[in-house]
Amino acid sequence: MAAPDSPPSTHSDSFEPVEVFTTPQSLARAVRARRHEYLRPHKLRVKIGTWNVAACTGTDKDLARWFVDGQGLDQNFATLDLSRNPAVAHHDPAADQHGDPDAVQLLGGSDIGLYVLGLQEVVDLNATKEYMNRAVNVDSSPVGKWQAALEAAMPPGYQPIMSGQMAGLLLLIYASPEIAPTITNVSTRQVGTGLLGYFGNKGAITSRLVLGEATRMVFINCHLASGAGSGYLDRRCWDVDQILTKTKFDPVVHAGVSDDDGDTIGDEDFAFWFGDLNFRLDGLPGDDIRRILMLHTRGEYALRGGHTPPPPEGEGVIVMRDSESDDDTTTRSSVHSRDQSFDSETTLPDPDDFPQDPSQDPTSLQATLDSLLPHDQLRRMMAQRRVFHDGWREGPITFLPSYKYDVGTVGLFDSSEKRRAPSWCDRILYRTRKDKQAFDAKLAEEMAAKKKDEEMKSRGIDQDDDVLFSYDPDTDGDEQAGVEAYDYDEYDETQDDVPREVTTNEASVDRIALDIYTSHQRITSSDHKPIISVFSLEYDAVVPELKAKVHAEVAWELDRAENEGRPTVTIAMEGDKSGNEDTVDFGDVGFLERKSIVFTVANTGSVPASLLFTENPTKGDADSPSLNWLTPSFLHPDPDDDPPSDLGQGVTLQPGETALAHIQAQVSNIAYLRALNDGRTSLEDVLVLRVEDGRDHFIPVKGAWLPTCFGRSIDELIRVPDGGIRKYCIEKNIRGAIPYDSDVRCSAPKEIFKLTEAIQTLVERCVAEEAMLESKTLPREPGWPFDSTTWTCGLAERDETKAGLVAALDKDSPIAEALPGELPSSHKLELLSSTLLLFLVSLTDGLVPPLLWAKLSTSLPNLASLAPTAWTDAKVQILDIFSSAPHHNIAFVFLTSTLARVATELSPATSDALPPGLSRRLNFRRGEDDGDKKRKLRQRKYAEVIGPIAFRANEGDKMAKERERVVEIFLTREAGG
């Protein structure tokens, strides 16, 4: 790899304009515009190997030999001059540990930066039963076995980038210690195309990675449908289409900024597709193919003995025939053809000095291979644009077919009864971004030309008048020689060794060259031969230190530019008691008490500022709830407005304008109340004043929580002495719950006594006022005054007075003094009833705790259907059960007694209200029945209101009617009430 201080690489684009915004996307774009400052050229060799191991034992033992050490090649079975190939490490027959004089060794070990291994059939999936078992119960043991074999052969420090298995497919990628830290955004996908169209016995594992934050690479290991017939050929093409369609990677993320969409195959800079593609040779008898290739492997085909003479010493040339033509040749790295000119003083080179092109010798192995390649299904499908036609390339095939051999042999093709025809089933294809773009451009041109032709035909013009003759490339030439033309390759394969420049997604320029594409014929543990490719890659990679420097400079520039035109506001407040001017301090805050603080917000910038109070996203959790005890808004600062007009939670200030920020505090939520009483939370919060396109302001808010009798248990409240809970907790320095080892001061909570007593007094006064004053009429709804739907006093009036009632209970002061004298008695009664209900709701254990209710519901399971005649006996049983919790029992009986008296007071018998002179004209018995009906209806309504809040039941309890019936029993005369 190149050093970070090496010269910057050349780029094909210029600077991009930088938008002045502080979003992560704009910052990333601004940094990217200066990428030439932190990209440096690097070099990398990528080694890709594919092998169908056919579930044979011992194949993992050969992995180190061929894939990492590069052994197992045979000069006799490869028409390339391996001794001069850049991917060959050395040619030393004497050092070969297997004693093979014709063996060579490819580059491996630490010379390779990225190892990519694709295996097929690592497990036996031939039997349907065996496959279904593996499909249901995933067996990951092959991954461990092959990883262990590969890591044992790897040089020290090589790191796994990814490993993925799908049934018999396995993809492993390892990187050198220098390359591994530069690889990011690894995303792997699996697509099954096998049994039923989606099982993983066939399909592909695909992995995408980003190299050096600039170069995207995709590796696809596949196993396509097998079989030699035309139906299997169609299925292989379908498999490829499914893999392309269904593969979608995760979005690429750089510096916390994610792409909008995930990549698909085709969005990368370099793609490599390899595996057992299963394309066969057709149109030739399999026995003839096997026979002619066997003659070559035995050395019996050539009319003359010996091998093709090696090229001359020094920088010679390697001559390879282009598989598209029988006549054309191309030279690779020829010093004679490039360095010597016909105008120079030197003489022309002797033709005998050039090495012979093996394809020009009709007896050579390459000539035989070239005669077979036109029958290759893959190349024909590419030419017909059915598959892999959109820019995919393959290196020159200069090696024997990879399938099918007898296991344990070299050069011996299938001798079993099936005698399968040899084929190049195992392939390695590759494509660059430039290849894909070139195909897309060509396709667009063809579509435009076709559209133009259709338009001309629609106008009655078949061809241009200036054209002397027409030529249709789709039909002309089909009759030549009366044979089908196998024009299988549109691309010039002979250029595969020339580095191909690619402009990547990140606008850097990369180059790739195929060094070698061959097979390891001397690996004999499978019926397939391993196929190998080595690529040389020149790419631009990010130098983290240089990018961090550019990032800091860009961030500073953007921040400076934005500060000049961004909204700016100033907050002016009195602060807390300690003199901290940045904090809102409400002081002592009691339950339901509403407090307000106002401070000034001024636009001190040069542009309009839009302000909005938003919720603190970090506040509140399961153990410490913080449920909106603060209500912020804006007020108009005009001193003539009394009260100031409300501007809502958002306001826009022009430069120089001010507004009043109005913060109200009130604790009314029961869950928050209990958490404050228990000491699990405190009155502390942070208000967020958001300035659009400007800097947010975080305003700390605090208050001191005053102890309250609301939100506690009966067992706590019976331990509070005279003087109230506030005084008691302050004197005893109690911060949370009242300890249960404290002395018991009363038989039931004093708050219930005080509230019920005040309610009875007010009920009597309301009834008396109605009797004495003709203008005084009490609500006639049966649920009044405990049903909230019957209340008549205003909400604001109710909240303010209820806060005073709560404070009176907490301080053990007279309740009557907390009720404003100007309020009507009916409104006072409603407020007291509302306070009583809130007190019952806030009890942590309820009047009847869950355990006591469970015991009662078990002893009397049919309470809802109990007849009134049996209520007296039921009441005795209930009191007997409640006696186990005497404090709860007393509180419950005291409450229900008060409710019964209220119901009786507000539902007098009709006869009691009749004038003396009407007694003879009306039926006294009927009037008495009407009074009883009204009283019973009121008692039932009271039971519906009190039942759900007086009892605490376990989660899932659905005995609501039973709880209401218990309350009703204690309110009626039939039960001795």
Side-chain angles (χ1 to χ4, degrees):
M1 297 179 62
D5 55 352
S6 58
S9 58
T10 304
H11 297 269
S12 60
D13 59 344
S14 58
F15 294 140
E16 298 178 358
V18 179
E19 299 180 7
V20 183
F21 297 104
T22 53
T23 62
Q25 290 81 5
S26 63
L27 178 59
R29 287 196 299 268
V31 173
R32 183 173 176 270
R34 294 176 55 179
R35 56 188 170 273
H36 68 286
E37 299 181 31
Y38 56 80
L39 289 176
R40 293 294 182 268
H42 292 65
K43 293 182 179 180
L44 169 69
R45 268 201 164 99
V46 181
K47 191 172 191 179
I48 299 176
T50 178
W51 191 20
N52 187 326
V53 299
C56 295
T57 57
T59 48
D60 57 311
K61 304 296 190 299
D62 283 337
L63 181 61
R65 181 186 172 203
W66 71 269
F67 186 58
V68 179
D69 296 338
Q71 299 175 359
L73 270 68
D74 195 309
Q75 179 69 62
N76 292 324
F77 301 148
T79 61
L80 289 172
D81 184 3
L82 296 177
S83 65
R84 298 178 181 273
N85 191 283
V88 175
H90 63 271
H91 184 194
D92 185 5
D96 182 65
Q97 56 180 325
H98 294 274
D100 180 10
D102 295 313
V104 294
Q105 183 176 352
L106 290 181
L107 286 178
S110 57
D111 291 328
I112 303 298
L114 197 64
Y115 283 95
V116 182
L117 175 65
L119 301 175
Q120 304 85 43
E121 296 190 33
V122 295
V123 295
D124 187 6
L125 300 178
N126 290 327
T128 303
K129 179 180 179 181
E130 175 69 11
Y131 174 69
M132 294 305 296
N133 288 336
R134 292 184 181 273
V136 175
N137 303 310
V138 178
D139 180 12
S140 59
S141 58
V143 176
K145 180 182 75 172
W146 285 96
Q147 272 191 303
L150 187 56
E151 290 175 1
M154 286 282 177
Y158 275 67
Q159 301 176 21
I161 301 302
M162 67 79 56
S163 63
Q165 179 191 0
M166 182 181 72
L169 277 171
L170 184 62
L171 178 61
L172 299 173
I173 301 178
Y174 279 75
S176 67
E178 296 79 18
I179 298 299
T182 69
I183 295 177
T184 59
N185 290 282
V186 179
S187 179
T188 302
R189 293 292 181 266
Q190 300 179 359
V191 176
T193 63
L195 188 64
L196 303 179
Y198 64 89
F199 273 80
N201 59 318
K202 293 293 188 290
I205 301 178
T206 307
S207 188
R208 189 278 323 274
L209 58 85
V210 179
L211 182 63
E213 294 189 25
T215 302
R216 304 187 188 195
M217 306 178 73
V218 167
F219 301 94
I220 307 157
N221 176 29
C222 76
H223 194 181
L224 306 183
S226 58
S230 60
Y232 297 109
L233 175 59
D234 294 338
R235 183 55 186 259
R236 285 190 279 276
C237 295
W238 182 85
D239 287 351
V240 173
D241 181 69
Q242 290 295 298
I243 295 168
L244 290 170
T245 302
K246 295 181 179 180
T247 301
K248 185 171 183 179
F249 303 107
D250 296 330
V252 172
V253 179
H254 285 318
V257 179
S258 173
D259 288 353
D260 294 335
D261 300 311
D263 288 347
T264 59
I265 299 176
D267 295 331
E268 70 286 337
D269 302 311
F270 299 104
F272 304 89
W273 193 309
F274 48 92
D276 186 355
L277 277 63
N278 256 320
F279 287 100
R280 309 301 174 92
L281 293 174
D282 54 14
L284 293 175
D287 288 339
D288 290 350
I289 302 174
R290 186 183 303 101
R291 180 179 56 81
I292 192 172
L293 292 177
M294 290 287 288
L295 290 175
H296 278 288
T297 60
R298 295 172 181 170
E300 299 174 0
Y301 188 86
L303 297 179
R304 62 180 184 271
H307 305 295
T308 302
E313 295 295 327
E315 295 191 44
V317 296
I318 300 175
V319 182
M320 289 301 303
R321 192 186 71 82
D322 185 352
S323 57
E324 186 177 0
S325 169
D326 291 335
D327 301 324
D328 296 339
T329 60
T330 183
T331 59
R332 187 183 303 176
S333 304
S334 172
V335 296
H336 301 288
S337 61
R338 295 182 181 177
D339 296 339
Q340 294 183 2
S341 170
F342 289 106
D343 297 331
S344 65
E345 297 179 359
T346 59
T347 60
L348 293 176
D350 189 342
D352 294 335
D353 293 338
F354 287 97
Q356 295 296 320
D357 180 358
S359 64
Q360 300 304 308
D361 181 359
T363 65
S364 68
L365 173 60
Q366 187 60 50
T368 300
L369 300 182
D370 291 343
S371 67
L372 296 177
L373 286 173
H375 299 271
D376 177 50
Q377 290 179 344
L378 174 57
R379 298 200 169 197
R380 180 156 54 87
M381 293 300 97
M382 294 172 70
Q384 295 176 3
R385 291 193 175 183
R386 291 189 58 189
V387 70
F388 294 121
H389 55 280
D390 50 345
W392 291 96
R393 294 178 171 271
E394 184 180 23
I397 292 183
T398 61
F399 50 88
L400 290 171
S402 62
Y403 175 83
K404 175 182 188 321
Y405 295 84
D406 288 347
V407 176
T409 66
V410 177
L412 181 59
F413 292 96
D414 185 17
S415 62
S416 66
E417 294 181 1
K418 295 184 178 180
R419 301 176 67 82
R420 295 179 179 85
S423 297
W424 284 282
C425 292
D426 308 279
R427 313 290 274 267
I428 300 177
L429 310 178
Y430 72 102
R431 182 177 68 182
T432 68
R433 175 180 294 275
K434 185 176 181 180
D435 295 330
K436 179 67 165 58
Q437 291 173 344
F439 171 80
D440 292 341
K442 181 178 180 180
L443 185 63
E445 292 177 1
E446 293 176 354
M447 295 297 293
K450 183 177 179 181
K451 183 178 180 181
K452 181 179 180 181
D453 291 343
E454 292 175 351
E455 292 176 353
M456 293 178 65
K457 289 180 180 179
S458 65
R459 293 159 50 193
I461 305 175
D462 292 340
Q463 61 185 19
D464 292 339
D465 295 337
D466 296 337
V467 178
L468 299 178
F469 59 90
S470 62
Y471 170 70
D472 187 350
D474 295 333
T475 59
D476 289 0
D478 286 351
E479 297 82 7
Q480 294 181 9
V483 297
E484 180 180 3
Y486 286 92
D487 187 14
Y488 51 83
D489 193 359
E490 298 182 5
Y491 304 100
D492 186 1
E493 288 184 345
T494 60
Q495 298 301 315
D496 284 331
D497 61 327
V498 178
R500 306 184 56 78
E501 288 191 355
V502 175
T503 302
T504 70
N505 256 326
E506 301 299 325
S508 62
V509 178
D510 295 350
R511 298 173 179 84
I512 189 171
L514 174 62
D515 294 338
I516 196 167
Y517 180 38
T518 188
S519 66
H520 292 263
Q521 287 292 323
R522 291 191 171 273
I523 303 301
T524 62
S525 53
S526 171
D527 58 1
H528 289 250
K529 298 300 181 183
I531 303 297
I532 198 79
S533 281
V534 176
F535 295 90
S536 291
L537 181 64
E538 297 180 15
Y539 64 99
D540 287 342
V542 170
V543 179
E545 296 80 4
L546 298 180
K547 185 177 182 181
K549 180 181 178 181
V550 171
H551 187 279
E553 293 175 357
V554 169
W556 185 86
E557 288 290 339
L558 287 176
D559 187 61
R560 181 186 59 82
E562 289 180 44
N563 285 337
E564 294 177 354
R566 68 189 308 180
T568 304
V569 299
T570 301
I571 297 175
M573 63 176 68
E574 294 183 1
D576 59 9
K577 296 178 181 179
S578 62
N580 189 348
E581 297 181 356
D582 297 328
T583 302
V584 173
D585 189 354
F586 283 102
D588 293 336
V589 178
F591 181 50
L592 294 185
E593 183 181 5
R594 189 185 300 272
K595 286 195 169 186
S596 298
I597 286 182
V598 176
F599 56 86
T600 302
V601 180
N603 183 353
T604 55
S606 58
V607 295
S610 295
L611 313 179
L612 176 69
F613 279 109
T614 62
E615 185 177 358
N616 182 4
T618 63
K619 76 175 184 180
D621 54 48
D623 296 328
S624 178
S626 178
L627 302 172
N628 300 326
W629 68 287
L630 297 175
T631 304
S633 63
F634 290 98
L635 301 177
H636 198 282
D638 189 349
D640 297 334
D641 290 346
D642 189 19
S645 57
D646 191 354
L647 300 177
Q649 289 192 335
V651 66
T652 298
L653 300 179
Q654 297 299 322
E657 288 187 342
T658 61
L660 299 178
H662 180 221
I663 314 298
Q664 284 189 330
Q666 184 188 39
V667 176
S668 58
N669 183 271
I670 298 300
Y672 194 27
L673 163 69
R674 291 174 179 172
L676 289 167
N677 285 341
D678 294 342
R680 290 184 285 115
T681 188
S682 59
L683 288 179
E684 293 182 354
D685 214 329
V686 176
L687 283 176
V688 181
L689 178 59
R690 177 141 298 164
V691 182
E692 186 176 347
D693 296 332
R695 181 177 64 87
D696 291 347
H697 292 261
F698 299 91
I699 305 171
V701 182
K702 66 179 182 178
W705 178 243
L706 294 175
T708 179
C709 58
F710 285 73
R712 298 187 183 270
S713 66
I714 288 180
D715 287 336
E716 287 183 88
L717 296 177
I718 59 175
R719 290 170 167 78
V720 177
D722 294 340
I725 194 171
R726 286 190 185 177
K727 179 181 178 183
Y728 177 65
C729 289
I730 293 174
E731 289 179 351
K732 298 295 184 180
N733 196 26
I734 298 175
R735 297 294 183 181
I738 298 175
Y740 284 1
D741 57 357
S742 303
D743 296 336
V744 176
R745 306 303 180 105
C746 50
S747 58
K750 185 183 296 186
E751 292 77 11
I752 292 181
F753 295 147
K754 298 180 70 172
L755 287 171
T756 53
E757 181 182 2
I759 288 173
Q760 290 184 52
T761 301
L762 275 174
V763 167
E764 294 172 358
R765 179 179 300 176
C766 288
V767 172
E769 288 179 354
E770 185 183 36
M772 293 184 295
L773 303 174
E774 293 183 0
S775 60
K776 185 69 173 180
T777 303
L778 297 178
R780 298 303 179 189
E781 292 85 351
W784 189 83
F786 298 104
D787 185 357
S788 60
T789 62
T790 65
W791 294 339
T792 58
C793 61
L795 289 175
E797 182 183 54
R798 184 189 310 164
D799 283 349
E800 183 179 354
T801 305
K802 282 173 64 176
L805 292 172
V806 170
L809 292 172
D810 292 339
K811 294 186 289 187
D812 197 15
S813 60
I815 288 183
E817 297 179 359
L819 293 169
E822 66 275 10
L823 279 180
S825 298
S826 60
H827 287 184
K828 293 180 180 179
L829 179 58
E830 290 175 0
L831 290 167
L832 282 172
S833 301
S834 173
T835 305
L836 174 62
L837 295 178
L838 181 60
F839 178 80
L840 296 177
V841 169
S842 70
L843 288 173
T844 58
D845 52 354
L847 284 181
V848 180
L851 186 61
L852 198 60
W853 168 246
K855 185 177 180 181
L856 174 60
S857 60
T858 304
S859 302
L860 298 172
N862 300 317
L863 281 169
S865 59
L866 199 63
T869 56
W871 285 6
T872 301
D873 294 336
K875 182 177 181 180
V876 173
Q877 296 182 55
I878 294 171
L879 289 173
D880 183 58
I881 295 172
F882 283 0
S883 63
S884 60
H887 306 297
H888 291 270
N889 183 24
I890 293 172
F892 181 79
V893 171
F894 206 86
L895 174 66
T896 54
S897 299
T898 299
L899 295 177
R901 293 190 187 96
V902 172
T904 301
E905 289 285 344
L906 296 178
S907 304
T910 305
S911 59
D912 295 341
L914 290 176
L918 296 180
S919 59
R920 293 181 181 179
R921 288 181 293 163
L922 297 178
N923 188 301
F924 180 80
R925 181 70 180 175
R926 181 182 179 92
E928 190 175 33
D929 289 344
D930 286 345
D932 289 340
K933 289 180 180 179
K934 291 180 180 179
R935 176 176 52 80
K936 290 179 180 179
L937 180 59
R938 191 177 295 274
Q939 290 168 348
R940 188 174 302 114
K941 193 65 178 179
Y942 287 179
E944 292 176 1
V945 174
I946 299 299
I949 63 178
F951 293 82
R952 295 290 187 272
N954 294 321
E955 186 176 355
D957 184 277
K958 299 180 180 180
M959 301 177 66
K961 291 296 183 183
E962 285 76 1
R963 292 192 285 273
E964 295 174 8
R965 183 53 50 86
V966 171
V967 176
E968 189 177 1
I969 287 174
F970 277 80
L971 299 184
T972 59
R973 296 174 180 175
E974 288 79 356

